[in-house]
Amino acid sequence: MEKLDYIKEEIDKFVKERDWEKFHTPENLAKSISIEASELLECFQWDNNNFDLEAVKEELADVFNYCFQLASVLDLDISKIILEKMEKNRKKYPIEKAKGVSTKYDKLK
């Protein structure tokens, strides 16, 4: 079994055991992703060199957890959608234009 499948199954099991599916609408899960991402950002709020790695790990796990749940609710294959997006990004950010720069794709020269 692929690791992503195992993680998805564990999250789905956790949610089902607690009867939380009724709360996990796409909108609620998207809100939760945003909230947890903000909590992750808060770890770096005043000092991006000295941060609590344990807090970062927990907040990052929360973001991933809600992302997995949203994908599950929408019946999306996580590996597939990530690889499809990477292919689009390869086209938007060709190496010869994007290497070593952080310019947005529509401003690349």
Side-chain angles (χ1 to χ4, degrees), residues 25-26 29-30 33 65-76:
T25 63
L29 292 168
I33 292 166
N65 190 319
Y66 282 119
C67 289
F68 270 85
Q69 290 180 60
L70 181 57
S72 184
V73 165
L74 297 175
D75 197 28
L76 299 173

Side-chain angles (χ1 to χ4, degrees), residues 80-99 101 103-106 108:
K80 181 180 179 191
I81 64 173
I82 290 173
L83 292 173
E84 287 173 352
K85 182 61 177 172
M86 289 303 303
E87 188 56 36
K88 286 182 180 180
N89 287 344
R90 280 186 183 88
K91 292 175 183 170
K92 286 172 33 177
Y93 295 96
I95 295 169
E96 61 276 3
K97 292 183 179 180
K99 189 169 184 173
V101 298
T103 308
K104 189 174 175 187
Y105 70 93
D106 60 347
L108 288 171

